[in-house]
Amino acid sequence: MSIVVNKQNNKGAKSSDSQREAEGRGRALSAIRNIGIIAHIDAGKTTTSERILYYSGKVHKIGEVHDGTATMDWMIQEQERGITITSAATTCFWNDRQINIIDTPGHVDFTVEVERSLRVLDGAVGVFCAVGGVQPQSETVWRQATKYSVPRLAFVNKMDRMGADFLKVVGEMQEKLRAPAVAIQLPIGAAETFSGVVDLIKMRGINFSEGDMGSNVEYIGIPAELAAEAEAYRVELIEKVAEVDEELLEAYMEDADVSEQALIAALRRATIANHIVPVLVGSSLKNKGVQPLLDAVVDYLPSPLDVKAVIGISPKNEAELEREASDFEPLTGLVFKMASDKFVGKLAFVRIYAGQLKKGQNIFNPRTRKRERIGRLLRLHANHREDVDALYAGEIGGMVGQKLFTTGDTVCTENEPIVLENIEFPEPVISMAIEPRSTADKDALVDALQDLSEEDPTFHTSIHEETGQTIIQGMGELHLEILKDRLLREYKVRANAGKPMVAYRESVSAKGEGSFTFERDIGGESHFACLNLQVAPASEGAGNSIEFDVSANIIPNEYRKGIEQGIADALLTGVLGNYAIIDTKVKVVGGQAHATESSEMAFRSAAVMALRAAVGNSKPVLLEPIMLLEIETPEEHLGDVMGDLNSRRGRVREIKATNDLQIVQADVPLAEVFGYATSLRSLTKGRASYSMEPQAFEPVPASMEASILNR
């Protein structure tokens, strides 16, 4: 059942959307764009963001990633390494539209930043390298955007580089990403001859001046050598949009030369519906093509009014609630990121979907069922903050000092509460032990690790039961390296860290059963429970499932919650090496209860032991994380790279040539790629580069299992 909240007020709000500015409530909702910049590492996301800020007047000097001066890469670790580590939010204005931008990392170790950003954004710009095309992390971020149904534009960057091929990249998007990619521009020239673009919507050429950082845009006729090609691609554009838009199809049937206005309107509808991905081209570093990209963001990506109303659950009765994008709906927001700021303290990034969030207001957290008062509200520009009195529907900002909120929490009012869908994060795949260098550092280390784990849901800390060591877990070597660096620089904590350890998993390879009878006197009372379980392997990536195939006469329903909790506890610890069990089906097939002596606690304990017995009888296997490695190397070093991969138990998927480089894709166990950056640099005299992302879990070879389990 869907409940539409305060619908009458919302109608008035939509009709008076333009009154927001006059009443001091910020830009009209229809004039707001909430977008993210997503891409594979080194595709040029941050460079593109810097040009957007410059041309929109937000900054007066272009920052460069390679110089460590990029506005959006403000962390010292980002400036030193030339990569984006944390997503940075900012606001700029273009053609009287407010564009809220989140620049996300491209490195797989920081995929959490992409995940939570896409959860709250209305649109995205995917940046692709004109030489590299669709790379592994391009596919990952594209899948993340698809999961949240985020409308996208694509910007093929680095058209000035040797080997750039715009149409090849568009083809790869269609083939590898299954994206409905359609070119709305063509490049004028390529590599050193790249000078501008052809606009297929308005059928004109666009040049960008060299002398004033590309600020002066010159509109020209289409070069004669491109006229026929441009005409053909415009026809293809119109036909593809007409296939998914009835209004344009009708106009096209009447006149094949549809009007510019009709094409723009249809392309906007098709993009918002995820039926079309418009593809633009340029070179951000050379200051070419960014202004038309901004025009496309305004023209084709949705405003908060264009996306579906956000849906949540009432914590009172679990009924479905719907909240439209309006200042007059009940307050509805989502905390999508936490950060520790040395100037303002604990900072919560929040997206307001509906209603108004005002300074001094009491807000409610349905997870903790507690309310808290808003102290300060901020508008964000990378690491700079601007105090504001209120945040309105469609806006992204920051709340300062909220102690009860964490990533994924809903912001609402106590009298009209709502719970929005939480954000799912991947589990860590690598761990290491860490300890303070002195007793003086001990408490500071605990506090710092707590702050960092609140900021980053993919960073976990725990205490090893047997050794008492503090264990930190993350998404990769670089992830943990950055966190160690932040401990020293930001928190002034001196700590020693051990070598990285792989986060193995366990599963079953056959069907098996197990049972356990719990009989014990506790505190003078008898407790009894008998349980029979059956386990079987599930398909890869399916996760765990629990099913009851036993009548309530045998095991009363009142004990089922305790059984589920016991099974869940046992799945976390495994039977081979205390690693979590994954991809396993668990079925309760029998048991016995006593009329007076059975209890939920007894069945929970019986479930733990019965599952351990069942898994032990189901040929348990130890699994290790497998990484997809993509290596770009000059051809003369290909043999050395291949030999090294073989020594690391790598399985080569594909080798393809691109200009003077060989691109190798291989599956390699995570345990074998620790320190790979140093090894690859040595093998290729620093000329090769690589990227990797988690692919799957696979059984550990029998010859290695015993040593891993210390048997």
Side-chain angles (χ1 to χ4, degrees), residues 206-271:
I206 308 176
N207 273 347
F208 306 89
S209 61
E210 298 277 348
D212 58 355
M213 305 296 290
S215 296
N216 187 26
V217 178
E218 180 188 2
Y219 298 105
I220 60 173
I222 297 175
E225 66 274 16
L226 290 176
E229 187 179 12
E231 193 64 45
Y233 277 99
R234 188 174 198 273
V235 171
E236 181 183 335
L237 167 63
I238 293 171
E239 288 178 348
K240 287 194 174 181
V241 178
E243 286 175 8
V244 296
D245 188 87
E246 289 187 8
E247 286 187 41
L248 189 70
L249 179 60
E250 290 177 11
Y252 182 57
M253 297 299 287
E254 291 179 10
D255 183 358
D257 189 18
V258 298
S259 70
E260 174 189 316
Q261 292 75 18
L263 182 54
I264 290 174
L267 192 52
R268 177 177 179 80
R269 290 190 296 268
T271 303

Side-chain angles (χ1 to χ4, degrees), residues 449-488:
L449 290 178
Q450 183 176 343
D451 275 357
L452 291 172
S453 59
E454 283 180 359
E455 281 187 29
D456 185 349
T458 60
F459 174 61
H460 295 183
T461 66
S462 60
I463 304 296
H464 196 281
E465 290 182 3
E466 296 179 8
T467 65
Q469 286 180 304
T470 299
I471 305 297
I472 59 175
Q473 296 175 290
M475 298 304 296
E477 273 187 289
L478 180 61
H479 189 196
L480 294 184
E481 180 189 326
I482 296 295
L483 290 167
K484 283 193 300 177
D485 194 47
R486 290 186 63 191
L487 282 174
L488 178 62

Side-chain angles (χ1 to χ4, degrees), residues 142-417:
W142 202 263
R143 284 197 303 269
Q144 288 172 302
T146 300
K147 180 169 80 171
Y148 294 116
S149 300
V150 177
R152 278 147 281 177
L153 302 175
F155 181 63
V156 178
N157 189 29
K158 302 190 177 184
M159 199 62 207
D160 60 301
R161 285 185 54 189
M162 182 66 70
D165 189 335
F166 172 68
L167 296 177
K168 184 200 78 170
V169 179
V170 176
E172 286 188 1
M173 290 179 63
Q174 295 166 344
E175 180 184 344
K176 293 185 178 181
L177 304 179
R178 302 283 194 272
V182 181
I184 65 170
Q185 291 180 347
L186 293 176
I188 300 175
E192 68 276 1
T193 65
F194 176 63
S195 60
V197 302
V198 173
D199 181 350
L200 298 177
I201 306 291
K202 300 184 178 180
M203 289 303 281
R204 63 186 181 184
I206 308 176
N207 273 347
F208 306 89
S209 61
E210 298 277 348
D212 58 355
M213 305 296 290
S215 296
N216 187 26
V217 178
E218 180 188 2
Y219 298 105
I220 60 173
I222 297 175
E225 66 274 16
L226 290 176
E229 187 179 12
E231 193 64 45
Y233 277 99
R234 188 174 198 273
V235 171
E236 181 183 335
L237 167 63
I238 293 171
E239 288 178 348
K240 287 194 174 181
V241 178
E243 286 175 8
V244 296
D245 188 87
E246 289 187 8
E247 286 187 41
L248 189 70
L249 179 60
E250 290 177 11
Y252 182 57
M253 297 299 287
E254 291 179 10
D255 183 358
D257 189 18
V258 298
S259 70
E260 174 189 316
Q261 292 75 18
L263 182 54
I264 290 174
L267 192 52
R268 177 177 179 80
R269 290 190 296 268
T271 303
I272 291 173
N274 276 309
H275 295 322
I276 291 289
V277 176
V279 187
L280 300 93
V281 63
S283 169
S284 297
L285 187 63
K286 300 294 185 181
N287 311 306
K288 292 178 171 67
V290 178
Q291 294 96 325
L293 175 62
L294 277 166
D295 291 336
V297 167
V298 168
D299 288 342
Y300 307 123
L301 291 182
S303 74
L305 290 176
D306 295 314
V307 296
K308 293 179 181 178
V310 67
I311 294 175
I313 299 296
S314 168
K316 296 177 180 177
N317 54 19
E318 297 194 352
E320 191 176 273
L321 301 175
E322 182 179 294
R323 299 276 167 88
E324 298 276 355
S326 165
D327 296 341
F328 303 108
E329 289 266 326
L331 173 64
T332 306
L334 184 73
V335 174
F336 65 94
K337 177 177 177 175
M338 300 298 300
S340 296
D341 188 292
K342 60 184 177 182
F343 298 112
V344 300
K346 193 173 179 180
L347 175 63
F349 289 63
V350 61
R351 160 71 193 265
I352 306 300
Y353 287 100
Q356 306 177 30
L357 182 63
K358 296 183 177 180
K359 192 164 64 173
Q361 177 181 354
N362 282 326
I363 57 173
F364 182 67
N365 186 337
R367 178 181 60 84
T368 61
R369 306 194 68 79
K370 293 182 179 179
R371 64 174 179 266
E372 199 169 1
R373 188 178 179 84
I374 292 287
R376 290 176 66 190
L377 292 174
L378 303 175
R379 185 164 284 121
L380 308 166
H381 177 49
N383 62 330
H384 301 293
R385 326 289 188 206
E386 174 193 345
D387 280 272
V388 293
D389 293 327
L391 293 172
Y392 300 98
E395 293 193 320
I396 293 173
M399 304 186 298
V400 176
Q402 265 47 61
K403 298 177 181 177
L404 305 177
F405 285 85
T406 189
T407 302
D409 281 349
T410 302
V411 177
C412 58
T413 56
E414 192 168 4
N415 59 337
E416 295 187 85

Side-chain angles (χ1 to χ4, degrees), residues 47 50-51 62-71 213 285 287:
T47 302
E50 290 297 318
R51 269 57 182 181
I62 294 178
E64 300 292 4
V65 173
H66 53 268
D67 292 335
T69 57
T71 306
M213 305 296 290
L285 187 63
N287 311 306

